[in-house]
Structures are given as structure tokens and as C-alpha cells.
Amino acid sequence: MPEAPTPSAVNRLRDQLHAIVGDAGLVEDSDAIAPMLVEPRGLFRGAAAIVVKPASTEEVAGVVRACADAGVPITPQGGNTGLCGAATPSVDGRSVLLSLARMNRIREIDPLDYTITLEAGCILQNVQAAAEEADRLFPLSLGAEGSCQIGGNLSTNAGGINTLRYGNARDLVLGLEVVLPDGRIWNGLKRLRKDNTGYDLKHLFIGGEGTLGIITAATCKLFPRPKEEVSSFVAVKDVASAIELLSRLRAATGDQVSAFEYIERFGIHLAVKHVHGCRDPFDQPYEHYALFRASAGRADSGLREIVEETLAAAFEDGIVLDAVLAESEGQARAFWRVREGVVEGQIPEGASIKHDIAVPVSRIAEFIARAAPTVQATVPGGRTCAFGHAGDGNLHYNVTQPEGMDRQAFLARWHDLNHAIHEIVVDMGGSISAEHGIGQLKVDELVYFKPGLDLELMRRIKQALDPGGLMNPGKVL
């Protein structure tokens, strides 16, 4: 990596970048910069030589060219909601931090083509609203949708609750516009569903976490808006019963299940205990829960009756212990609020060691059975909070600090516990990062678990596109 630029070189670069982005694009207020230098959980803190907010693709390209000429690294940043430190600059303060926040224009919606073309700084919730205005659905949905940006979602290949039916971010993209590490603009904003003219280059940048280039715009798929939705909270006998219920629902509805979550009791307990507005879905506690949503393209489609019949049969077979179907949109929102509360409720309960893993759906119960004794062997008294998108095999297998244990002593076990859980995941043919990416957090784990040939190919691609190693250094590889 090139040596750190001298103060005079930084000043020259600042003047160059100022000329490119103008007064509005050069951020120098320390209060505005401070939150941009910290990962949301405080796991990573960095520094930046210069902070810029370009307003156009051409301005992004100009900034990248200037930084490439000066040998100065760039850290791209979207909404800064990621949990692996990919958007946090390194502590050496050498990088230019480039925020896409001002690039927030929806360029075009084509309802007949079922596409939306938008800039990277668009907030996900605003994208969903724009699609709804056109009587279409943009299905990507996750907890941070009120502040995360679509460029960051694509750069980390975000998942969320609707992956079961619609796929993750990668599956929603038809075309990209990307500024390459040398400042050239690659215009791949196609709206085609079929294009077999060689390598599909967009997939290099989706999930690349800004290490190969900066996504500035995308053309994404839209879908018909559901006209009928059925949400249900279900108490199930055990984890395997949750997966069996999912299978039955998919078959009975013709794969109209859009989201299916598994939550163990401790997660419900934390949501009800700590999060305002969260109520226990049942009058008595159960150990295992499923929360799902199914949707149809027309009202009065008969979907609700199908779901009721499937739940009744599962109850007769001892798979379902109790169930409640939402009678209104408000009740459905209350159900899903409990799911969000599982995340929020962990914070006041104490420190938490996180695992964002995926295993084959059919092996989720096996994973939980194998992981529980590993947690107790590594951190005796650790309280597991297993929940997540069981419909696509993605679990957030989090462990809350034991009652009475010192917070820092618990967090000091982060690596040991991560590694032990990841050993199980990889042995089961799973992934150590299902939807949050690698960032800084999992670089060492990736090197340990990723096959050597995979790493070699990744490094060759990085060298080919970014030979100077200036694009988001220290992340992924």
C-alpha cells in the first residue's frame, strides 16, 4: 500500500476535490463527520483525511480519478447501517470517505417493464414507496430500511425478510452503473431479463462491498403488488416442526409464502421485556415460534382459507401447538413489530456476540442442536437468541452475555465463540456470512474457511480491477 500522503498533499487533494464537488459536496463540519466514522455497534472506529458527498456519477468519477492519481484510498459509504465495518474507514486516517447520500434520485420507473432505475443514495424505504405509487412492489425489506441506501444494499448483497420468495439483492438487479477504481464509468444499466453476451459483469460488484468499484446507480426488478396478505404467529413443537410447517405452507399455497421467520422463546422474552409496543402473541409461553406471511395477487383469493386449513392439519399432527392469524393490517404490523423487537430487545439486556450464518433449510434444527452445547462449552451461561429467516436458511444465532458476567470479559470471547460456531456451519455446508457481508469483521474468518482456490480467484479479480489496492482497502480481502 502507498505511503500516507503528506499534509501538503492532502491539502492539494482537498482543493482538487472541492473543485469537483463544490461547497455542498465537501464535508468539513466535525459534528457531521463524527457519526460517519463509526460502525453502528461501535465495533469499528476510523478516521478520514477528507470527506466528500458527490451529487452525480460524473462527480464520483472525478473524485475517484483524483484519488487514484494521488495514490489515496477511498472508502465508499451508503447509509452506514452495515454491521461488519465495510463502510468504516481505517484508523490511519489516510482514506477519502465518499458518501453517496446526495445521489438519491429515482431516474425512471417503468410499470410495464416492471423496472425501477435509481441512484445509489436512495433510501430503501423511499424506493419501496415509489414502487407502491406506481402500483408495484420492490420487495427488498430489512430492519434498517428507513436509513439504509440501495447502493449499500447491493454492495453487501443484502437479504431481509422476503428473500424466500423474491431472492436477495443480487436477484433483484438487472443492470448497474459503476465507477471503476481508475475513475472510468461502466454503464451496465440494462433492463434485460436475458442477455448472454459473455460474463455478467454486474455480479462482480454486487456483494463486492466497494472493493472493486463504486455502484452509483442500478436498474432493479419490480413485482406486482400483493392484494391479499395473511400473517400468522405460530407456536410449534420444536425447530424441526417449524421447517416442516414451512414445507407444508409452500406446497399448499403454490409457493406464495413471502417470509418465514423462526424465533426461539428468549427472543420473544426480550422483545416483550424491553421494547415498547411489543406484546406476547399468546397467553402462555412456548419454546419455539414461527412467524410467516403469505400473499396473493388478488383480494379474496382463498389464500386465508388455505393457510387456515394447513395450520389446522398441522395442529392435528402435533406440529403446531397454537396459532393466531392477523385479523387486520394493524395486527399484522404488531406481529412483525415483535420480530423487529427481538433485535432491539437484545441491546438493553447486555452485550451480544452475533453470528449471521446460513445452512441448508433442512438442517436448521440440526445446526441449533449442535450449536447449543458449543455455546455452553465456550461461554458457560451464555443465553442463545436464535431467530431469523428460516425460510432461506439464514439464522441470526446471537448469544447474550451470561447474567452476572462482566461485559468486557464476555466480549473478549467473541473470536473464540464465532470460530467455534463457524466450524459447525462450514461442516454442515453453510456460510459464515448469510447477508451482512465480510467487511472488516470477518476477514480473518474468510481466509480461514474459504477454500484456497476461491481466495486465489478473488484476489486475481481484485488485482485486475484495482491493482493499486485503493478501493476500500482492508475489507473482504
Side-chain angles (χ1 to χ4, degrees):
M1 183 175 289
E3 294 182 1
T6 64
S8 61
V10 171
N11 288 333
R12 286 196 300 272
L13 180 59
R14 180 182 286 107
D15 290 342
Q16 285 181 275
L17 299 187
H18 184 210
I20 294 168
V21 302
D23 291 342
L26 188 66
V27 185
E28 299 194 280
D29 177 51
S30 57
D31 290 338
I33 292 173
M36 303 172 72
L37 303 177
V38 184
E39 181 265 350
R41 294 183 298 199
L43 294 178
F44 300 99
R45 295 176 182 271
I50 307 168
V51 178
V52 291
K53 288 186 175 182
S56 69
T57 301
E58 291 71 26
E59 288 186 7
V60 174
V63 169
V64 172
R65 278 194 300 271
C67 290
D69 291 343
V72 173
I74 296 177
T75 300
Q77 187 176 99
N80 196 25
T81 61
L83 300 177
C84 292
T88 307
S90 61
V91 295
D92 59 22
R94 300 176 59 250
S95 296
V96 167
L97 180 62
L98 189 152
S99 167
L100 281 300
R102 293 176 68 209
M103 292 190 61
N104 56 11
R105 185 168 59 94
I106 293 176
R107 296 182 183 177
E108 182 183 11
I109 295 180
D110 188 335
L112 288 179
D113 210 19
Y114 281 79
T115 60
I116 181 170
T117 300
L118 66 168
E119 294 179 340
C122 289
I123 292 173
L124 176 55
Q125 197 169 66
N126 295 341
V127 180
Q128 297 165 346
E132 186 173 348
E133 274 189 38
D135 195 32
R136 296 294 181 261
L137 171 72
F138 185 65
L140 186 63
S141 179
L142 42 120
E145 61 193 27
S147 54
C148 65
Q149 296 172 14
I150 194 68
N153 298 148
L154 302 185
S155 292
T156 56
N157 191 28
I161 63 173
N162 291 325
T163 299
L164 170 62
R165 184 167 180 180
Y166 299 101
N168 55 19
R170 185 182 302 280
D171 300 302
L172 301 176
V173 178
L174 294 172
L176 288 182
E177 176 187 83
V178 179
V179 174
L180 301 175
D182 59 7
R184 288 181 294 171
I185 300 170
W186 175 61
N187 186 354
L189 280 177
K190 295 182 178 180
R191 296 188 294 178
L192 300 176
R193 263 71 174 182
K194 290 184 174 181
D195 180 6
N196 276 344
T197 54
Y199 305 133
D200 198 343
L201 298 176
K202 65 178 179 288
H203 288 300
L204 289 174
F205 307 100
I206 302 170
E209 302 186 45
T211 61
L212 301 177
I214 300 174
I215 295 173
T216 51
T219 297
C220 295
K221 301 174 186 176
L222 298 178
F223 296 84
R225 278 186 64 205
K227 299 299 190 293
E228 180 180 10
E229 291 188 331
V230 180
S231 287
S232 179
F233 232 123
V234 183
V236 292
K237 183 178 69 172
D238 50 27
V239 185
S241 296
I243 305 307
E244 172 63 22
L245 176 62
L246 167 64
S247 178
R248 293 187 180 197
L249 286 166
R250 292 186 67 181
T253 64
D255 235 353
Q256 293 185 23
V257 181
S258 55
F260 190 95
E261 304 284 308
Y262 166 77
I263 311 171
E264 67 179 10
R265 178 63 205 175
F266 186 56
I268 301 290
H269 167 73
L270 294 182
V272 173
K273 177 181 178 182
H274 294 297
V275 182
H276 178 71
C278 286
R279 298 181 57 188
D280 199 310
F282 300 102
D283 293 333
Q284 68 180 79
Y286 295 94
E287 290 303 312
H288 307 279
Y289 301 82
L291 170 62
F292 69 86
R293 178 171 58 230
S295 58
R298 63 182 181 89
D300 302 318
S301 67
L303 179 63
R304 186 180 181 89
E305 289 77 12
I306 292 172
V307 169
E308 288 176 341
E309 290 170 4
T310 305
L311 290 175
F315 182 83
E316 290 295 325
D317 293 339
I319 293 170
V320 167
L321 305 179
D322 204 347
V324 57
L325 276 75
E327 298 294 338
S328 65
E329 186 176 330
Q331 190 176 15
R333 283 198 300 268
F335 286 174
W336 290 96
R337 177 68 182 126
V338 174
R339 165 60 176 82
E340 296 167 9
V342 174
V343 179
E344 299 173 35
Q346 294 172 72
I347 299 171
E349 187 69 17
S352 180
I353 296 177
K354 316 286 189 182
H355 306 87
D356 165 43
I357 62 93
V359 295
V361 174
S362 61
R363 302 187 72 180
I364 287 177
E366 178 190 347
F367 164 75
I368 290 178
R370 290 178 61 178
T374 298
V375 169
Q376 296 309 312
T378 310
V379 186
R383 296 172 289 168
T384 59
C385 184
F387 67 101
H389 321 306
D392 55 50
N394 174 201
L395 280 184
H396 300 296
Y397 192 78
N398 299 342
V399 181
T400 297
Q401 71 184 75
E403 293 178 316
M405 185 176 185
D406 177 74
R407 178 185 180 90
Q408 294 308 315
F410 172 69
L411 290 176
R413 306 308 307 276
W414 188 300
H415 172 74
D416 292 342
L417 185 54
N418 268 186
H419 195 74
I421 295 298
H422 291 162
E423 290 273 14
I424 297 172
V425 169
V426 173
D427 182 62
M428 296 179 64
S431 170
I432 66 171
S433 179
E435 63 177 358
H436 291 166
I438 298 299
Q440 302 176 57
L441 182 65
K442 298 181 181 179
V443 169
D444 291 341
E445 289 289 272
L446 186 73
V447 170
Y448 183 87
F449 288 108
K450 199 78 169 173
L453 183 55
D454 292 41
L455 289 171
E456 178 188 335
L457 293 173
M458 290 170 66
R459 288 176 177 135
R460 285 187 180 185
I461 293 169
K462 172 71 170 174
Q463 177 64 24
L465 292 179
D466 183 25
L470 298 178
M471 195 59 67
N472 212 11
K475 318 298 170 53
V476 185
L477 292 171

